[in-house]
Amino acid sequence: RLGYIFIDTGAMYRAVTLYALEQGAIGENGVDEAAVVQLLPQINISFRFNAERGASDVYVNGELVEDKIRSIEVSNAVSSVSSIGAVREKLVAMQQQMGRERGVVMDGRDIGTVVFPEAYGGEPQTGASMTMISHTLCVLSIPLLYAAMVAIFGTPFGQLL
């Protein structure tokens, strides 16, 4: 086993959205961007492998929120929250730190272009890329992730984590 943890970056945006909802920064009048930005220093997002599910669970400030972040309320607001520049900056910094701390499999739309632009040959990329760097596997989609893990290791990622 590699001991890598699966990081779903979309779930991170959902986690911020959930926290903002719980703290009243999102209400009937929509997203209060300034209030969301003020909450950012209070948010710690982590992932822990759940052997029963064979996948990583999302935690916010130590609380398991895997089911909560999939609610319709979060789904309705996550696009607005993810469009806030300070939210993107905070989460990209968190993703980069997670990649530096340990081996991860990271799924998200900007992993090879924004989060780890140097991942492919030391040059920023303009398109999807998959490469191993410093024990970090950058992957842009679940189907690609699954196919890559089977091709490289002969088994899907859930059995390796």
Side-chain angles (χ1 to χ4, degrees), residues 89-105:
E89 289 173 17
K90 161 99 175 174
L91 294 186
V92 166
M94 288 177 76
Q95 293 156 11
Q96 290 169 334
Q97 183 62 35
M98 289 174 181
R100 282 191 292 272
E101 289 176 353
R102 65 178 295 180
V104 300
V105 175

Side-chain angles (χ1 to χ4, degrees), residues 16-60:
V16 170
T17 303
L18 173 66
Y19 190 79
L21 278 162
E22 291 176 342
Q23 300 302 312
I26 302 171
E28 293 178 14
N29 296 327
V31 176
D32 180 342
E33 290 188 20
V36 171
V37 171
Q38 286 183 328
L39 292 172
L40 291 176
Q42 302 170 29
I43 301 172
N44 179 31
I45 301 169
S46 60
F47 293 83
R48 298 180 200 155
F49 182 68
N50 179 331
E52 289 179 20
R53 289 189 332 108
S56 298
D57 286 335
V58 182
Y59 289 77
V60 174

Side-chain angles (χ1 to χ4, degrees), residues 52-72:
E52 289 179 20
R53 289 189 332 108
S56 298
D57 286 335
V58 182
Y59 289 77
V60 174
N61 300 334
E63 177 190 352
L64 175 62
V65 296
E66 186 64 37
D67 292 334
K68 289 181 180 180
I69 65 169
R70 310 294 174 192
S71 72
I72 192 69

